[in-house]
Amino acid sequence: MQKRIINQAIKLKEFDLLLIYCSFYLAAVVIAGGLKYLIAYLQTVIGQRALTEMRKDLYRHLLTLPLSFFRKTQPGMVVQSFASELATAGDFVGMAVAIPLISALSLIAFTAYLLWLNPLLAIVSFSIYPFLLFVLPALQRRANIENKKRVDVSRDFSGKIAEAVSGIHEIQGNAAHHIESRKFDSLADKLQKIRITWNLYRQGIKVSSNFFANISPFIIFLLGGYLAIKGQLELGALVAFLSAQEKLFDPWRELIDFYQSYQEASVSYQRTMQYFDVTPEFAIEPENRQPYQLQGSIEVKNLSFTTDEGVPLLSDANLTLEAGEQIALIGFSGSGKSTLANCIAQLIKYTGGHVLIDNRQVVNLTKRDIAWNIGLVSQTPFIFDGTIEENLIYGCVSKMGADDGGVSHPLPDLDRMIETIQQTGLFPDVLRFGLNSMLDYKEHAKLVPNLIRIRKKLGRRLSVPLAEHLEFFDKEKYQDYSTVAKNLTFGSASQLEFKEKNLSNNEYFFKFLEDTDLMHPLMILGSRLCKQAVDILAGLPPSEMFFEQSPLSPDELEPYKILAEQLKKSEWRQLSLDGRQRLLELALRFIPGEHKMIELPDGLKRQILKARTRFREKISIDFPGAFSFYRKSDYLFSHSILNNLFFGKIKTAVPEIQDTINEQIIQLLIEEDLLETILRIGMQFQVGTRGDRLSGGQRQKLAIARAFLKNPKILIMDEATSALDNRSQARIQHVLDTQWKSHTSLVAVVHRLDIIKGYDKIGVMKSGKIEEMGSYEELMAKKGLLHELVTGRK
């Protein structure tokens, strides 16, 4: 079209012909653009589908790898492989069909077109490409070497970050910031040098390609111009040749980019596959059969285990356990107790001897068989991000296969889950989580009448016996155990600017205080608090203990010292805006019942009560919905269930008072048939990453409950109660001694010797061997190792 436009339409001054040819040209451009977008769409879809399938397959494989692999592998390295290294391979797969095919066809088409336009000019312009075919592979080989280094160091780099995040408690506890920074800096510098070299080689490929591509127009201008001057080449043909030759470079550049992508993807993919090329130790699913339903007898014969580094952890260990019997494994640290338990649980593959469950070799059982028959609680249990309920039923869900929707194995109902959390002592925690939850209006509106009823009953039951310890919300009374701000607004703000912490710099609230003549007395109150707090606290250590009876926090003392000095020389009106806001903030935070350094005048209390009614009326008109006000007949969806039920403040921190309140709340929940509902809400508590929103004891209780709920034939507990207090340990041991006796075979690694008397057998381990085996009475009578451990003397 370019040739025709110049040689025919323009040269002959045919405007109609110009419009026709330009229309053809435009149509070609539009069609080409649309086809390129279609190709890009197909590349993206194919590439992302391939990447997703690679990630899914590799993740499934990852979950089956031996524990020894994970002991040697940093989590950051695994994340790096999944997130970035496989992405390169996925992008290449998307390009793998379209780019070479289309680019090759384009090259052939443009080459044929150039040869048709002028064979001599075409051959001369093609003469530079052999040089490219020599230079580019040489540069790419160097780039590949640097890319392999980049992949390896990037893994170390990611691993170091993951290690620092996981070990942040140790780093901060030992003030080891400089040590970790030095390690990281060294890796970062190393990665920087490698990436610079790698990118320079990559850019060298592009620069070389562009250089040779730009030399080609020079040759065409020189030779083509000479031919045109001599009349051997039409001007339109020269323009068309230049245009086609320029477009010839597009498929060539895409082929070069494709070649680079192939090399980078090849390096990343091979490195990733080599790293994860580890054979699983055990089969996952049974073939052509249902999982075995074992009875729980265990026999260990001449068992030994040696690490990959050649360290023996077990040597000729032997024990026999009938179905339903309980054995406690005890011994000094490093004696092999946990290793033996892990061999029985199929967590590690023993290197010698036998472990038999119902006369079936553990190494020959599948992971599904193990999931069906064994429950495991480790010393440091892992809690998954999600709800308490999801973590609780995790073991039950794991019994199902990949294609089992739970029809033949229904999940435990709420009653069974409640029974389990009661056994482990998690019941009060789940109930508290439920009571501290906020309800959703649409989802829980039907609960409101029952909760309001409980609120009224609770107030009647507690108001007389605990009158001196409690303060219920009453719109006609000043609340001594609430802040001045809460007394004034007497509600909960739903808009950020009206939150209590923002009231001191809220212009609307400022104006309200001035209109109600409250500004002056509150500023006087703030001034008194400031002076008194500074006088009392200025010379004391910055400990929270000394600041309990003050509205100030330790880190605020210095600014208020400056303010107190200014107040000695001038009154509050002469302070800066910031100073006035600080004084107002102090006054609004003041809680007369807790902050004993000064008293709140009765006249100011009456003034605040009078302003309370006016504030409610005014804010409801000016900012509808900005506040949910405290009314005995209204439920506050912006507050927790507990706050709505109690509807007041506890004056003292006496544990017995809280216990009495809790007992009454539970009793009323039972009477209103709401206890299970609150527990179900509590089950939806989000535990956070690794359960970091739970205490160590709560995590351990949840892990034990998870194993109990599974109701396995064999229960393995590896120091499972080590993070619990004595009372909680005694509770769980009582459950094991009563409800699990004769029902489930128990293998318990025990660190407390005062709880082993009730076990059927005790295995005393030393240096990887079971040196003594028998009942508590038998072994104590022998005066051997157990006697030595219990009494501390030989």
Side-chain angles (χ1 to χ4, degrees):
M1 285 300 104
Q2 289 174 338
K3 179 181 176 182
R4 289 175 179 270
I5 288 169
I6 293 172
N7 289 344
Q8 295 179 21
I10 296 176
K11 186 176 181 180
L12 300 176
K13 300 180 180 179
E14 292 285 346
F15 185 71
D16 292 341
L17 199 56
L18 179 64
L19 289 177
I20 293 171
Y21 288 159
C22 286
S23 298
F24 278 123
Y25 185 88
L26 180 61
V29 169
V30 171
I31 293 170
L35 290 174
K36 281 189 175 181
Y37 183 80
L38 177 61
I39 292 168
Y41 168 78
L42 292 174
Q43 283 181 211
T44 301
V45 171
I46 293 170
Q48 291 304 310
R49 284 181 179 174
L51 174 60
T52 301
E53 289 304 314
M54 282 191 285
R55 282 173 170 165
K56 287 180 179 178
D57 288 342
L58 185 58
Y59 188 74
R60 281 191 285 267
H61 175 69
L62 175 74
L63 297 179
T64 66
L65 297 185
L67 292 183
S68 57
F69 171 84
F70 296 98
R71 293 193 185 102
K72 298 181 291 186
T73 303
Q74 285 284 0
M77 175 263 144
V78 177
V79 174
Q80 171 84 3
S81 299
F82 276 81
S84 58
E85 292 174 21
L86 282 181
T88 309
D91 291 340
F92 169 73
V93 170
M95 302 164 59
V97 176
I99 296 298
L101 179 63
I102 293 169
S103 298
L105 289 174
S106 299
L107 275 175
I108 293 170
F110 281 118
T111 300
Y113 177 60
L114 291 175
L115 288 170
W116 174 74
L117 281 173
N118 192 296
L120 175 61
L121 206 55
I123 292 170
V124 171
S125 66
F126 294 155
S127 63
I128 62 169
Y129 288 98
F131 292 101
L132 277 174
L133 295 175
F134 172 77
V135 172
L136 296 188
L139 289 172
Q140 187 62 57
R141 282 192 294 272
R142 298 299 305 172
N144 288 348
I145 294 172
E146 296 302 319
N147 193 25
K148 289 177 183 178
K149 294 179 183 177
R150 179 193 65 84
V151 171
D152 293 340
V153 176
S154 293
R155 288 175 178 173
D156 296 338
F157 185 80
S158 300
K160 169 50 64 183
I161 296 172
E163 182 184 56
V165 172
S166 300
I168 193 65
H169 287 85
E170 288 297 320
I171 295 171
Q172 294 193 359
N174 291 284
H177 309 82
H178 61 290
I179 297 174
E180 297 304 317
S181 294
R182 191 161 56 245
K183 293 177 184 176
F184 182 81
D185 291 350
S186 175
L187 273 174
D189 291 340
K190 186 176 180 181
L191 183 60
Q192 172 189 303
K193 292 177 183 178
I194 292 171
R195 287 188 66 88
I196 288 174
T197 307
W198 175 58
N199 277 296
L200 286 176
Y201 278 119
R202 293 175 71 219
Q203 294 302 321
I205 294 171
K206 291 184 178 180
V207 169
S208 300
S209 178
N210 287 333
F211 173 76
F212 285 110
N214 291 328
I215 284 291
S216 187
F218 164 75
I219 297 172
I220 295 169
F221 278 127
L222 188 61
L223 180 58
Y226 174 78
L227 294 174
I229 291 170
K230 294 294 185 179
Q232 298 176 18
L233 183 66
E234 294 177 331
L235 182 60
L238 177 59
V239 172
F241 194 96
L242 281 167
S243 178
Q245 197 278 336
E246 182 181 346
K247 291 193 176 297
L248 179 68
F249 181 63
D250 290 341
W252 174 257
R253 184 177 61 240
E254 288 184 353
L255 282 174
I256 291 173
D257 290 342
F258 174 78
Y259 176 67
Q260 278 193 299
S261 297
Y262 163 70
Q263 295 293 337
E264 291 172 19
S266 177
V267 169
S268 297
Y269 185 80
Q270 289 175 14
R271 271 289 195 265
T272 301
M273 293 303 118
Q274 287 168 4
Y275 199 90
F276 292 101
D277 187 15
V278 180
T279 304
E281 292 177 329
F282 307 103
I284 305 301
E285 295 285 338
E287 293 185 10
N288 303 319
R289 66 172 174 84
Q290 290 294 313
Y292 293 127
Q293 298 192 37
L294 307 175
Q295 297 305 307
S297 66
I298 301 172
E299 186 176 6
V300 176
K301 296 180 181 178
N302 307 319
L303 188 68
S304 62
F305 175 74
T306 303
T307 66
D308 294 339
E309 294 76 21
V311 179
L313 299 182
L314 287 177
S315 176
D316 197 30
N318 294 273
L319 70 85
T320 302
L321 198 67
E322 298 298 326
E325 285 189 322
Q326 298 183 346
I327 183 170
L329 299 176
I330 65 172
F332 294 106
S333 178
S335 59
K337 307 183 294 296
S338 295
T339 304
L340 175 57
N342 288 337
C343 287
I344 297 173
Q346 206 196 65
L347 287 177
I348 56 178
K349 189 175 184 179
Y350 42 89
T351 53
H354 307 277
V355 177
L356 303 172
I357 300 179
D358 288 9
N359 294 317
R360 297 182 186 276
Q361 281 278 6
V362 164
V363 291
N364 295 330
L365 295 176
T366 67
K367 284 293 181 184
R368 184 99 184 275
D369 295 320
I370 296 296
W372 257 89
N373 296 281
I374 294 181
L376 175 68
V377 188
S378 66
Q379 184 176 359
T380 53
F382 192 92
I383 303 301
F384 294 90
D385 187 14
T387 66
I388 286 181
E389 181 178 358
E390 288 168 345
N391 275 278
L392 192 59
I393 65 173
Y394 190 84
C396 300
V397 174
S398 69
K399 290 175 66 173
M400 303 174 188
D403 301 322
D404 190 340
V407 177
S408 57
H409 315 290
L411 292 174
D413 57 20
L414 183 62
D415 290 338
R416 175 77 180 104
M417 286 191 271
I418 291 174
E419 178 189 359
T420 304
I421 62 175
Q422 283 178 323
Q423 290 175 343
T424 57
L426 195 62
F427 180 91
D429 299 298
V430 175
L431 180 61
R432 180 164 53 83
F433 294 145
L435 289 171
N436 286 327
S437 299
M438 290 189 290
L439 298 182
D440 178 78
Y441 175 77
K442 294 180 180 178
E443 186 178 353
H444 303 108
K446 292 181 180 179
L447 297 179
V448 169
N450 304 69
L451 295 173
I452 296 297
R453 218 165 22 247
I454 291 176
R455 174 196 290 174
K456 293 176 180 178
K457 290 181 180 179
L458 186 66
R460 287 195 294 269
R461 292 187 184 185
L462 298 178
S463 58
V464 175
L466 300 180
E468 60 180 310
H469 301 289
L470 305 178
E471 182 181 66
F472 293 104
F473 289 143
D474 187 337
K475 68 176 182 178
E476 305 299 330
K477 295 180 180 179
Y478 190 91
Q479 311 295 136
D480 285 325
Y481 286 83
S482 295
T483 63
V484 169
K486 189 63 68 179
N487 270 282
L488 189 54
T489 59
F490 208 63
S492 177
S494 56
Q495 295 181 9
L496 184 62
E497 62 268 27
F498 289 108
K499 296 290 184 181
E500 193 167 328
K501 62 181 180 179
N502 297 324
L503 287 177
S504 60
N505 55 12
N506 183 303
E507 291 184 10
Y508 179 87
F509 190 71
F510 253 67
K511 189 172 187 311
F512 173 79
L513 294 179
E514 290 173 349
D515 292 344
T516 53
D517 298 324
L518 272 174
M519 181 63 80
H520 179 71
L522 287 179
M523 295 303 282
I524 295 298
L525 176 64
S527 300
R528 290 177 58 204
L529 285 167
C530 176
K531 293 174 184 178
Q532 192 74 357
V534 170
D535 286 344
I536 296 173
L537 302 171
L540 297 177
S543 169
E544 292 287 349
M545 178 182 66
F546 298 115
F547 286 75
E548 286 178 354
Q549 295 189 9
S550 163
L552 277 181
S553 61
D555 57 338
E556 293 177 321
L557 185 58
E558 288 303 319
Y560 279 100
K561 279 183 181 180
I562 298 171
L563 209 54
E565 287 298 320
Q566 293 174 355
L567 287 169
K568 290 178 181 179
K569 302 172 185 178
S570 57
E571 62 173 5
W572 66 267
R573 289 188 179 86
Q574 296 172 313
L575 297 177
S576 66
L577 176 61
D578 180 66
R580 295 197 300 273
Q581 286 178 344
R582 283 185 181 276
L583 289 182
L584 180 60
E585 183 180 6
L586 203 59
L588 293 174
R589 277 196 224 156
F590 182 55
I591 302 174
E594 295 180 9
H595 305 146
K596 304 292 188 179
M597 54 178 54
I598 68 171
E599 290 187 5
L600 188 66
D602 290 338
L604 182 54
K605 287 184 180 180
R606 289 192 296 271
Q607 199 173 349
I608 290 172
L609 284 175
K610 185 178 179 181
R612 177 189 292 176
T613 304
R614 186 172 173 186
F615 179 79
R616 178 180 298 182
E617 293 170 352
K618 184 172 175 54
I619 199 78
S620 298
I621 296 171
D622 297 338
F623 293 93
F627 272 85
S628 298
F629 295 105
Y630 296 154
R631 296 186 180 93
K632 290 184 179 180
S633 59
D634 291 351
Y635 188 92
L636 298 174
F637 286 93
S638 57
H639 282 229
S640 68
I641 297 172
L642 181 61
N643 287 343
N644 271 279
L645 294 181
F646 182 62
F647 208 60
K649 295 282 186 179
I650 301 175
K651 297 180 181 180
T652 56
V654 180
E656 290 78 6
I657 303 300
Q658 187 63 63
D659 290 343
T660 302
I661 295 171
N662 291 341
E663 289 170 6
Q664 290 295 330
I665 288 175
I666 292 173
Q667 182 61 41
L668 288 168
L669 288 172
I670 294 172
E671 290 176 13
E672 292 288 335
D673 197 24
L674 282 181
L675 184 61
E676 285 192 359
T677 302
I678 301 300
L679 287 169
R680 189 183 294 278
I681 293 171
M683 290 280 192
Q684 303 312 307
F685 177 77
Q686 292 287 335
V687 300
T689 305
R690 298 187 180 185
D692 60 2
R693 296 184 66 193
L694 303 176
S695 68
Q698 288 170 339
R699 288 196 291 269
Q700 202 126 34
K701 289 176 186 176
L702 180 53
I704 296 171
R706 180 164 64 195
F708 280 7
L709 189 65
K710 192 175 177 181
N711 197 26
K713 280 297 181 181
I714 299 173
L715 181 61
I716 298 176
M717 302 182 73
D718 186 1
E719 298 193 25
T721 59
S722 59
L724 302 181
D725 56 75
N726 293 339
R727 185 177 176 182
S728 298
Q729 286 193 13
R731 169 196 281 272
I732 290 172
Q733 191 60 48
H734 177 72
V735 172
L736 293 173
D737 291 342
T738 55
Q739 300 184 36
W740 290 78
K741 201 84 168 180
S742 303
H743 163 64
T744 294
S745 304
L746 173 62
V747 178
V749 177
V750 179
H751 68 289
R752 285 186 53 179
L753 300 180
D754 58 333
I755 63 172
I756 63 175
K757 295 180 181 179
Y759 284 85
D760 300 307
K761 294 180 179 179
I762 297 170
V764 186
M765 298 192 67
K766 184 177 181 180
S767 302
K769 296 183 178 180
I770 299 178
E771 297 288 354
E772 291 182 352
M773 175 76 72
S775 68
Y776 182 84
E777 291 76 15
E778 292 170 350
L779 296 183
M780 288 299 289
K782 284 177 61 176
K783 295 192 175 181
L785 284 175
L786 178 63
H787 185 271
E788 179 184 343
L789 287 169
V790 172
T791 63
R793 59 179 184 271
K794 296 183 180 180

